Amino acid sequence: MKSHTEELWFQTRKRYEFVDITEKLENALKASGVREGLLLCNAMHITASVFINDAESGLHADFLEWLEEMAPHEPVSAYRHNVGEDNADAHIKRQIFGREVVIAITEGKLHFGPWERVFYGEFDGMRRKRVLVKIIGE
Ligand code: ZN
């Protein structure tokens, strides 16, 4: 069995940002040489997500608006977690959007459904953070 591990680093310019990482995962898959197997990609921080959805800017704006209604950043004093930090909302947003994705690898390619892309979801950005990519198979 082959195995390949990579960490991808990000530093977003904004507090909230969705970054399309599909090509980076395709490059990692190429480097792995795996033709049949699985790719796991997970955020390594508890205020960020990795998720699969459409690369459509209106939808991403809708996501952010909905998340802000569910867990508004302000007032930061509304959260018990915010003692010496202000990112309780980011922990909750990450919980909703999830920690990781697993993608099947078939004939050397990521086996996506129509319009599926992989995104890094940042909810407490403007600092260096990373995701783990683990590929196993043959
Ligand atoms: Zn925190």
Side-chain angles (χ1 to χ4, degrees):
M1 189 194 75
K2 286 179 188 160
S3 163
H4 179 85
T5 306
E6 272 186 36
E7 290 180 358
L8 307 175
W9 287 86
F10 302 94
Q11 180 157 359
T12 60
R13 278 172 297 140
K14 291 181 274 179
R15 185 176 187 88
Y16 310 137
E17 211 165 303
F18 298 138
V19 181
D20 190 331
I21 60 171
T22 312
E23 273 185 39
K24 288 185 191 312
L25 299 187
E26 286 167 347
N27 291 339
L29 175 56
K30 236 175 255 168
S32 77
V34 170
R35 302 274 311 157
E36 295 291 325
L38 293 171
L39 181 150
L40 163 77
C41 181
N42 66 268
M44 296 183 75
H45 302 262
I46 52 182
T47 53
S49 291
V50 175
F51 65 95
I52 294 178
N53 217 300
D54 195 358
E56 197 280 304
S57 60
L59 179 65
H60 290 194
D62 291 338
F63 281 158
L64 287 173
E65 202 176 295
W66 183 81
L67 282 169
E68 204 55 28
E69 275 170 32
M70 297 288 286
H73 178 61
E74 304 270 358
V76 293
S77 62
Y79 298 95
R80 276 162 288 204
H81 175 69
N82 285 341
V83 178
E85 53 182 332
D86 67 352
N87 65 1
D89 67 302
H91 289 279
I92 295 169
K93 286 164 175 144
R94 175 265 171 75
Q95 208 58 27
I96 294 168
F97 265 49
R99 171 181 180 264
E100 79 274 306
V101 299
V102 177
I103 304 160
I105 299 160
T106 305
E107 295 175 355
K109 292 199 166 131
L110 297 176
H111 202 149
F112 289 123
W115 303 107
E116 284 192 331
R117 302 285 293 181
V118 187
F119 296 91
Y120 172 66
E122 178 61 82
F123 304 117
D124 183 16
M126 300 178 290
R127 56 199 174 95
R128 270 169 63 72
K129 289 162 82 170
R130 65 203 151 128
V131 304
L132 177 66
V133 183
K134 188 87 177 183
I135 299 167
I136 55 171
E138 302 185 344

